[in-house]
Amino acid sequence: LLASGVIAAEQMDSIPLGLRLLTAASKAEGCAPDRGDDLVASSSSAAQRACTLIHRNAIDQAVNDDNWKLAVKLLQLMNERSLTPATSVMRKVVSVCTKMEKSRKATALLLDWVTRAEEGKAEKPPLPIFNNVVNTCEICGEEDLTLVVLEALKKVHETEGNIVTTNIALKRLAKQGNLIAVEGLIIGMLQAGVEPNVVSYTTAIGGCVKAEDSAMAYEWMKRMRSRNVLPNYHTYNTALAACLDGKFESTARASTIATEMIGEVGREIAEGLKGTVEYNSVVPDKYTKVLARSLMKQLRENWRADDINIQVAKSTLRVPLLQLVDFEKSDAASEAKRRKEETCSADGDEECVDDVISRVVSMTKEHRRMEV
């Protein structure tokens, strides 16, 4: 009788009624050692299908409402009632937990999914799900969980992950200023046939900010060029931030980096932007100006400490830094802004250039605080 009621509830699209009937069945006496709701769900193929659809639709509603607790509870009930959740259902439940930054619950669900896959009860979790969970663990500062998920990824997919996963792992190491581990991870990427991108190298340079190692930051810039990966303005900003350690050698290195940035800007204006503003442009932004000013102050302290002659400093090292400070007043800046506007318009992006700059200023400031 209850099975017929559940089938009718599904046909009427009455999710609450169907769930209430199954709850009533779970409390029925005389079913031991089985559960009443389990017996109802397995009584016929029609009942099983109805129960599965009711739970799936209820989970969809919970996910749409960002109700992660309800979504998790419903998934748990599916398992208790011997109902097999589809991969799409499990993905949605894990995703809503990552969206709400519930790293521990998302990790627990993912690991349970991995166990079910090993037992042949489910398909193995797709790589993007691992990426989402790793990213959530990073956001929540759960470094131990990050390692657990990465190990599970390696076990399930027999890989260290794709570029997204690896960049997330790089971010964790860069936050710690662990340059040896960062270098090892990028070498591992290359050995696994995963080519590091501009985000990978910029993140590695971000680790140099934490470690106050401007020499290694510049070394990473040379390495990325050797792999035909061109730095963008995020990369340059991060490398300049790594030079803010008070040392004269770092100031001189920052001047070299500024010279290269100015040269790349001229090339971009002459040849046109190839790619997107966000990932390919080298045009200085407002944060570049802030960094250049700070480096000019550092240079002033250097000559006051007799690290360099003041006249030599003003005629050499300060020149490219001053060019970055005054860039927005130059003809090159006007041309760059015009081209950016054309790019945004051509891409159908309604955001104006100032909006884009505001967003990336926030991102690059995070680099300086090591939120790479």
Side-chain angles (χ1 to χ4, degrees):
L1 182 61
L2 283 173
S4 298
V6 171
I7 294 172
E10 189 277 320
Q11 292 174 343
M12 294 186 298
D13 198 25
S14 179
I15 296 174
L17 175 60
L19 292 174
R20 282 197 293 269
L21 289 173
L22 286 169
T23 299
S26 68
K27 299 176 181 179
E29 298 179 355
C31 299
D34 298 315
R35 289 168 49 115
D37 51 351
D38 192 1
L39 292 174
V40 168
S42 60
S43 61
S44 67
S45 58
Q48 187 177 56
R49 178 181 179 277
C51 291
T52 301
L53 290 175
I54 286 172
H55 285 80
R56 186 195 69 183
N57 294 336
I59 288 174
D60 284 344
Q61 288 185 8
V63 170
N64 290 335
D65 294 337
D66 291 335
N67 191 338
W68 68 273
K69 288 185 178 180
L70 178 58
V72 170
K73 179 61 177 178
L74 289 166
L75 181 63
Q76 180 183 344
L77 287 174
M78 289 190 75
N79 294 327
E80 292 174 357
R81 291 164 179 169
S82 302
L83 301 173
T84 303
T87 299
S88 59
V89 172
M90 298 173 71
R91 180 198 293 262
K92 289 176 182 177
V93 178
V94 175
S95 296
V96 73
C97 289
T98 59
K99 179 181 179 182
M100 304 309 293
E101 299 184 359
K102 302 301 175 181
S103 57
R104 296 187 180 184
K105 179 56 68 174
T107 301
L109 289 172
L110 178 59
L111 295 179
D112 180 65
W113 188 350
V114 169
T115 300
R116 290 172 60 84
E118 291 174 343
E119 295 172 350
K121 298 179 181 179
E123 296 180 5
K124 62 183 181 181
L127 194 55
I129 289 295
F130 282 95
N131 291 341
N132 290 342
V133 176
V134 169
N135 192 49
T136 302
C137 291
E138 285 299 303
I139 291 172
C140 297
E142 297 281 3
E143 295 181 358
D144 291 340
L145 286 182
T146 301
L147 295 175
V148 170
V149 177
L150 288 174
E151 283 299 315
L153 167 63
K154 186 176 180 179
K155 180 180 178 182
V156 172
H157 289 279
E158 297 180 351
T159 177
E160 299 290 344
N162 61 8
I163 189 68
V164 176
T165 314
T166 311
N167 283 343
I168 293 171
L170 271 174
K171 182 178 71 172
R172 174 176 58 85
L173 296 171
K175 281 183 176 180
Q176 300 169 354
N178 192 339
L179 301 188
I180 294 176
V182 167
E183 185 173 18
L185 188 53
I186 289 185
I187 291 174
M189 292 172 67
L190 294 170
Q191 292 175 339
V194 179
E195 190 67 36
N197 59 15
V198 66
V199 177
S200 311
Y201 287 110
T202 302
T203 303
I205 295 170
C208 300
V209 178
K210 179 70 173 179
E212 296 186 351
D213 191 339
S214 64
M216 194 63 202
Y218 190 58
E219 176 64 24
W220 277 118
M221 295 192 73
K222 291 192 289 186
R223 290 181 183 182
M224 67 187 295
R225 289 192 181 100
S226 73
R227 302 294 301 183
N228 294 319
V229 180
L230 299 178
N232 58 22
Y233 69 99
H234 293 295
T235 313
Y236 278 109
N237 283 348
T238 309
L240 289 172
C243 296
L244 284 169
D245 57 7
K247 300 175 184 176
F248 171 68
E249 294 80 5
S250 297
T251 308
R253 196 167 286 119
S255 181
T256 300
I257 294 170
T259 300
E260 293 175 358
M261 187 176 192
I262 292 295
E264 289 297 324
V265 170
R267 187 174 294 108
E268 179 180 319
I269 293 174
E271 299 176 1
L273 175 62
K274 299 176 182 179
T276 65
V277 172
E278 185 75 15
Y279 293 100
N280 302 98
S281 179
V282 294
V283 175
D285 66 349
K286 294 178 181 178
Y287 186 51
T288 312
K289 181 177 180 178
V290 172
L291 289 168
R293 278 180 171 169
S294 297
L295 286 162
M296 287 174 63
K297 291 180 181 178
Q298 181 168 292
L299 177 59
R300 188 182 307 122
E301 294 302 318
N302 293 149
W303 76 54
R304 287 175 177 172
D306 292 328
D307 293 325
I308 185 175
N309 179 272
I310 182 172
Q311 297 304 324
V312 174
K314 288 184 176 181
S315 62
T316 56
L317 299 186
R318 194 176 70 161
V319 173
L321 297 173
L322 189 58
Q323 285 180 295
L324 292 180
V325 170
D326 294 336
F327 178 78
E328 62 184 10
K329 302 175 184 177
S330 66
D331 293 337
S334 299
E335 178 64 15
K337 184 174 182 179
R338 183 185 69 80
R339 288 179 181 255
K340 279 186 178 182
E341 289 172 341
E342 290 177 354
T343 301
C344 286
S345 177
D347 291 343
D349 191 347
E350 295 181 356
E351 289 184 301
C352 66
V353 175
D354 288 339
D355 291 335
V356 175
I357 289 177
S358 296
R359 186 173 71 250
V360 297
V361 164
S362 176
M363 291 174 61
T364 49
K365 282 182 178 179
E366 289 177 348
H367 275 298
R368 192 177 180 187
R369 296 192 302 267
M370 277 317 304
E371 293 292 326
V372 294

